[in-house]
């Protein structure tokens, strides 16, 4: 009988965990780097929304293009108006799932994995697979990823005049700590 | 002939100076700019929740003056401060990212009533205002 109650207690704890396994933030960071011999361009966005569902291994990231901050106002203006057309396409999003690697969300540790899904930039959606690192700690799921994006793939045209100043392939870095989202008790 | 050369040289120098200033053009100074629209945090969020596309068309890149109550203040890794304004909706809010050199944000605390000016970047889970500054009522 005692064993039964112990089992029940364990089962309850386990279920509570399984229920609460959603992680999310609205304060993630994405940086953008374009490196050529002529010019280095760097921008940061610190208001990235992200949600990971540990149970289904599905995840979503979203960022507002206008939120990218450049050192030079002129670069920011060109980025928004000429290249990203951010008034027409205000967001970039990623929706996908963890496909490779055994990420144990209830065990503190560092996990290498891959996420596969749909990346939408400049109104164009592409299938991508990106390696990610997920570090589980008391603070939540710290997720980092670095990948390259070919501008032409997303219909972003660079005028020939500045061709040498803007990389054809830009580097995107994602860095976000997602605390566990607590489910509200009804 | 010489005159033409001098004129051309003059134009080139002027162009160079103009280009230099354009290149180093400062970011828009939100603190001293006049607000395009004035909102409460609730109304601003409502506008985006009701019709995001219409709100985007109206408010993106505009200087928005918003008043509300501070729900939370967060520092990020790069030392910038984000003030999150409370709304009727518990899941969504208005996030105000302050420009890096706004020292007077130090005194702010949760529960304060506040007026903020910022550039509207759009709506994800929350409405996001960037390059924010404190404003007068």
């Amino acid at each position: 009988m005692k064993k039964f109650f112990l089992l029940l207690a364990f089962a309850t704890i386990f279920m509570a965990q399984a229920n609460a396994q959603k992680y999310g933030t609205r304060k993630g960071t994405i940086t953008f780097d374009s490196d050529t011999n002529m010019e280095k361009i760097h921008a940061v966005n610190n208001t990235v929304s992200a949600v990971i569902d540990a149970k289904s291994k599905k995840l979503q990231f979203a960022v507002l293009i206008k939120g990218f901050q450049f050192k030079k106002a002129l670069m920011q203006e060109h980025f928004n108006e000429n290249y990203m057309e951010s008034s027409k396409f205000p967001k970039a999003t990623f929706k996908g799932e963890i496909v490779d690697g055994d990420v144990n969300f209830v065990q503190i540790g560092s996990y290498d994995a891959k996420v596969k899904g749909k990346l939408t930039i400049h109104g164009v959606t592409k299938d991508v697979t990106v390696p990610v690192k997920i570090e589980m700690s008391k603070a939540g799921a710290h997720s980092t990823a670095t990948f390259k994006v070919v501008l032409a793939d997303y219909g972003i045209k660079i005028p020939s005049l500045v061709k040498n100043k803007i990389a054809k392939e830009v580097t995107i870095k994602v860095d976000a700590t997602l605390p566990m989202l607590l489910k509200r008790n009804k | 002939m010489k005159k033409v050369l001098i004129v051309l040289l003059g134009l080139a120098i002027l162009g160079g100076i103009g280009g230099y200033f354009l290149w180093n053009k400062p970011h828009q100074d939100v603190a001293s700019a006049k607000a395009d629209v004035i909102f409460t945090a609730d109304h601003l969020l409502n506008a985006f929740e009701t019709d995001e596309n219409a709100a985007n068309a109206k408010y993106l890149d505009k200087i928005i003056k918003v008043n509300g109550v501070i729900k939370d203040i967060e520092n990020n890794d790069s030392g910038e401060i984000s003030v999150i304004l409370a709304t009727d909706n518990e899941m969504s809010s208005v996030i105000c990212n302050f420009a890096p050199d706004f020292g007077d944000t130090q005194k702010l605390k949760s529960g304060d009533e506040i007026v903020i000016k910022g550039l509207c970047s759009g709506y994800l889970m929350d409405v996001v205002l960037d390059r924010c500054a404190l404003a007068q009522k």
Side-chain angles (χ1 to χ4, degrees):
Chain A
M1 195 61 189
K2 209 174 171 185
K3 256 190 193 156
F4 172 75
F5 276 115
L6 213 60
L7 206 67
L8 195 72
F10 272 122
T12 322
I13 291 168
F14 181 75
M15 268 159 61
Q17 262 177 347
N19 254 334
Q21 276 181 13
K22 260 197 179 175
Y23 297 84
T25 182
R26 56 214 343 171
K27 292 297 299 168
T29 298
I30 290 182
T31 59
F32 158 97
D33 278 285
S34 156
D35 255 0
T36 62
N37 293 333
M38 297 276 284
E39 199 148 30
K40 288 193 195 320
I41 303 167
H42 176 78
V44 190
N45 186 315
N46 288 314
T47 318
V48 177
S49 287
V51 180
I52 301 180
D53 184 340
K55 212 171 161 193
S56 66
K57 305 254 161 120
K58 287 207 160 77
L59 54 104
Q60 275 192 36
F61 278 73
V63 65
L64 290 169
I65 302 303
K66 284 182 192 295
F68 279 94
Q69 300 298 324
F70 292 68
K71 215 166 161 189
K72 295 240 180 267
L74 193 69
M75 280 183 184
Q76 192 161 331
E77 206 175 292
H78 288 170
F79 173 79
N80 280 300
E81 284 169 15
N82 303 351
Y83 306 129
M84 298 299 289
E85 299 177 82
S86 59
S87 292
K88 222 157 107 195
F89 311 111
K91 294 171 198 179
T93 56
F94 176 81
K95 281 181 196 170
E97 56 190 319
I98 300 168
V99 286
D100 229 358
D102 266 329
V103 184
N104 188 347
F105 284 91
V106 289
Q107 178 81 45
I108 285 175
S110 179
Y111 306 94
D112 287 310
K114 275 194 179 128
V115 295
K116 191 179 165 197
K118 295 191 181 306
L119 179 63
T120 307
I121 303 172
H122 191 238
V124 178
T125 303
K126 292 263 166 192
D127 285 306
V128 294
T129 305
V130 171
V132 293
K133 186 175 197 162
I134 298 178
E135 288 164 86
M136 293 306 302
S137 73
K138 288 211 172 99
H142 179 210
S143 321
T144 46
T146 304
F147 58 97
K148 301 224 177 212
V149 165
V150 178
L151 296 182
D153 285 355
Y154 294 88
I156 300 163
K157 291 192 190 80
I158 305 299
S160 50
L161 196 67
V162 290
K163 214 169 56 191
N164 297 327
K165 292 187 173 177
I166 297 171
K168 287 185 182 67
E169 239 185 15
V170 299
T171 307
I172 308 293
K173 272 188 201 153
V174 184
D175 189 325
T177 301
L178 290 71
M180 190 186 271
L181 298 175
L182 294 174
K183 244 190 182 171
R184 235 168 282 278
N185 291 322
K186 275 173 196 161
Chain B
M1 189 58 194
K2 215 176 172 185
K3 262 190 190 156
V4 174
L5 270 180
I6 289 171
V7 169
L8 277 180
L9 194 69
L11 279 178
I13 289 171
L14 272 182
I17 293 173
Y20 178 81
F21 276 109
L22 194 63
W23 177 239
N24 284 300
K25 187 175 87 161
H27 281 283
Q28 187 171 9
D29 182 8
V30 175
S32 59
K34 200 173 168 286
D36 295 305
V37 248
I38 301 170
F39 267 125
T40 63
D42 264 323
H43 282 137
L44 180 58
L45 181 64
N46 270 339
F48 277 90
E49 279 178 332
T50 326
D51 188 344
E52 191 183 340
N53 288 333
N56 274 337
K58 267 193 252 174
Y59 306 125
L60 284 187
D61 283 331
K62 293 285 189 299
I63 296 183
I64 298 194
K65 192 167 168 180
V66 61
N67 63 307
V69 174
I70 300 178
K71 184 178 173 185
D72 211 352
I73 300 170
E74 288 179 17
N75 288 55
N76 66 30
D77 299 340
S78 36
E80 285 162 357
I81 285 175
S82 299
V83 170
I84 296 157
L85 297 177
T87 61
D88 288 339
N89 184 338
E90 264 197 66
M91 294 301 288
S92 298
S93 57
V94 176
I95 297 181
C96 308
N97 295 320
F98 278 78
D101 44 1
F102 266 85
D104 48 356
T105 47
Q106 302 288 339
K107 293 176 223 145
L108 301 177
K109 57 183 191 301
S110 295
D112 283 359
E113 220 184 309
I114 190 178
V115 186
I116 292 173
K117 264 195 297 188
L119 283 169
C120 186
S121 287
Y123 170 72
L124 289 174
M125 285 146 69
D126 318 88
V127 179
V128 179
L129 302 183
D130 281 304
R131 309 201 80 85
C132 287
L134 291 175
Q136 303 296 319
K137 283 180 196 174

